[in-house]
Amino acid sequence: MTKNEDEIYMHRCIELAKNGLGTTYPNPLVGAVIVYDHKIIGEGWHKRSGEAHAEINAISSVNDQSLLKESTLYVSLEPCSHHGKTPPCALKIIELEFKKVVIGTLDPTGKVNGKGVELIKNSGAEVIIGILEKECKELNKRFLTYHIKKRPYIILKWAETLNKKMDNGVERKHPFWISNPFSIQKTHLLRSQEQSILVGKNTALIDNPSLTTRTIYGKNPIRLLIDKDLETPSSFNIFNQDIVTYVFNKIMTSSEEGINYFKINFDTDILPQIMKILYDKNIQSIIVEGGRQTLQHFIDSELWDEAIIISSQTIVKNGTKSPNLFGEITEQEYIGNNLISYIRNISSIL
């Protein structure tokens, strides 16, 4: 295979892996392709935790298993080398005697971290590492951030007017939509792809949000609420029992019917404490949809990886100023009259 062909097949691995976005936690997104005589004869992806990995799904999809010995396996992430909920993929690859294995990027977790590559190389197969490595790492930015930085991948999200206001100020008690219906659907799609969503007490009290994926078909994220004195009424939407909710407060630690309270120290910076709790709970990603104060706290603490800003053509006289944020715009798109900007924190790039 030429390098160009290797990249073509690795691109296909990445596209396959994206089918598992939002469903594989705590496992990574992985896609695999099997090529014989310059043709794809099998492909697969990891669908959800506890089920077969991408390599096994790709192998199972091949009609003529006798071709595997003369085939090349492409996989976006290093094959696992340990027994978990499923047997090690590296051992299956060795058993089937693939002649060549092409890997996008290594798995940095302690149970793998080069061990899968070592096993396969020791079997006599040719192993190539680093094809589209940057793209493969981007695919698993949540998984890698969690394991390398010991915290969730953090996405800040807000909507603002043309003159950088997040609401209409004194009139905020009345509904004021900056996002159009199609942008709202986009937001709910994004929620379905992340593991949790966070707001502060003021947002909960003023907006009474549900924080669900209600306009699309998708899994609801775990809800996170910062409420120092537990002022949010239990009748509010954030406390309905449809979804697990975490409440960070200064009063108590307890659990009751899906509502989990975590006592933290508000006399010091609360964000490292929250990050530690979420890491211990295997939460790999957060969307922060709070008000300006909450968002700016994350920004000032350099605890963010991406920002998604929805901008409208509306101008309001009063209102809360949107957060101050500096980063690299990686993509922009119009959805109706809304411009959605995707911004990357350069210092957070893996």
Side-chain angles (χ1 to χ4, degrees):
M1 298 289 180
T2 65
K3 182 179 179 181
N4 185 54
E5 282 183 286
D6 286 344
E7 290 183 352
I8 289 171
Y9 295 129
M10 192 58 69
H11 267 300
R12 179 58 181 162
C13 290
I14 292 170
E15 290 305 309
L16 287 167
K18 289 177 181 178
N19 288 320
L21 191 56
T23 66
T24 66
Y25 292 118
N27 292 354
L29 298 166
V30 186
V33 166
I34 298 172
V35 176
Y36 173 80
D37 193 22
H38 305 281
K39 295 179 182 177
I40 293 176
I41 61 170
E43 55 184 32
W45 69 93
H46 183 44
K47 297 179 180 179
R48 57 185 56 86
S49 177
E51 296 188 5
H53 290 185
E55 301 95 318
I56 306 305
N57 285 331
I59 290 166
S60 299
S61 74
V62 177
N63 291 325
D64 186 351
Q65 295 279 304
S66 69
L67 299 178
L68 294 177
K69 289 185 179 181
E70 298 300 320
S71 298
T72 298
L73 170 66
Y74 291 83
V75 60
S76 56
L77 186 70
E78 177 183 5
C80 64
S81 55
H82 62 285
H83 286 271
K85 294 180 179 178
T86 59
C89 292
L91 295 185
K92 188 66 175 179
I93 292 166
I94 293 168
E95 175 191 330
L96 294 172
E97 300 180 8
F98 279 93
K99 67 175 184 177
K100 182 178 176 182
V101 179
V102 180
I103 299 167
T105 189
L106 295 178
D107 183 337
T109 58
K111 292 182 178 180
V112 186
N113 199 17
K115 297 183 182 71
V117 168
E118 183 180 3
L119 284 173
I120 297 168
K121 280 185 175 179
N122 289 343
S123 74
E126 178 186 0
V127 179
I128 296 176
I129 306 167
I131 300 297
L132 298 185
E133 183 172 20
K134 181 179 178 181
E135 291 86 348
C136 290
K137 285 184 175 181
E138 172 69 18
L139 172 69
N140 274 307
K141 57 194 177 185
R142 302 161 183 84
F143 178 79
L144 295 175
T145 296
Y146 176 81
H147 286 284
I148 294 172
K149 298 189 175 183
K150 308 301 181 186
R151 66 162 174 82
Y153 189 85
I154 302 168
I155 301 171
L156 310 181
K157 179 262 169 185
W158 70 85
E160 64 182 25
T161 63
L162 189 62
N163 59 333
K164 307 294 183 182
K165 302 289 187 180
M166 297 178 70
D167 55 62
N168 58 349
V170 294
E171 299 298 327
R172 190 177 175 185
K173 60 185 178 181
H174 302 296
F176 178 70
W177 290 101
I178 295 173
S179 302
N180 64 42
F182 303 106
S183 294
I184 292 171
Q185 280 192 321
K186 179 75 170 184
T187 294
H188 291 176
L189 175 62
L190 292 169
R191 288 178 180 177
S192 74
Q193 296 170 351
E194 308 306 330
Q195 209 170 352
S196 64
I197 182 169
L198 182 146
V199 296
K201 174 203 68 179
N202 290 338
T203 296
L205 290 176
I206 295 170
D207 295 342
N208 190 17
S210 297
L211 305 180
T212 64
T213 60
R214 58 193 176 277
T215 64
I216 64 153
Y217 177 79
K219 185 176 181 180
N220 291 311
I222 295 170
R223 297 181 295 207
L224 312 175
L225 171 64
I226 301 174
D227 188 352
K228 178 180 178 181
D229 297 305
L230 298 180
E231 298 177 65
T232 307
S234 60
S235 60
F236 271 38
N237 293 331
I238 201 166
F239 290 124
N240 67 38
Q241 296 175 12
D242 297 338
I243 312 164
V244 172
T245 300
Y246 294 177
V247 185
F248 303 102
N249 68 95
K250 73 170 188 178
I251 297 171
M252 65 178 181
T253 295
S254 68
S255 296
E256 182 179 341
E257 297 183 335
I259 312 300
N260 302 280
Y261 295 89
F262 296 93
K263 183 179 179 179
I264 59 175
N265 182 6
F266 280 79
D267 293 329
T268 186
D269 192 353
I270 64 172
L271 293 187
Q273 300 174 69
I274 292 173
M275 294 304 107
K276 176 64 166 59
I277 291 169
L278 296 180
Y279 177 79
D280 290 343
K281 294 293 183 181
N282 294 317
I283 305 297
Q284 292 187 8
S285 68
I286 317 172
I287 298 180
V288 181
E289 287 195 15
R292 186 186 196 280
Q293 181 178 347
T294 300
L295 289 161
Q296 196 65 54
H297 190 177
F298 275 88
I299 294 168
D300 293 343
S301 299
E302 277 295 318
L303 275 175
W304 68 283
D305 299 288
E306 288 183 39
I308 299 171
I309 304 174
I310 301 173
S311 304
S312 77
Q313 299 301 307
T314 307
I315 294 177
V316 295
K317 182 178 180 181
N318 299 306
T320 305
K321 184 180 178 183
S322 58
N324 296 318
L325 176 141
F326 298 96
E328 176 189 10
I329 297 176
T330 59
E331 182 184 353
Q332 289 184 308
E333 63 175 333
Y334 274 100
I335 297 184
N337 60 351
N338 286 159
L339 173 65
I340 303 182
S341 300
Y342 301 86
I343 301 172
R344 176 66 58 85
N345 184 348
I346 297 175
S347 67
S348 76
I349 295 175
L350 294 168

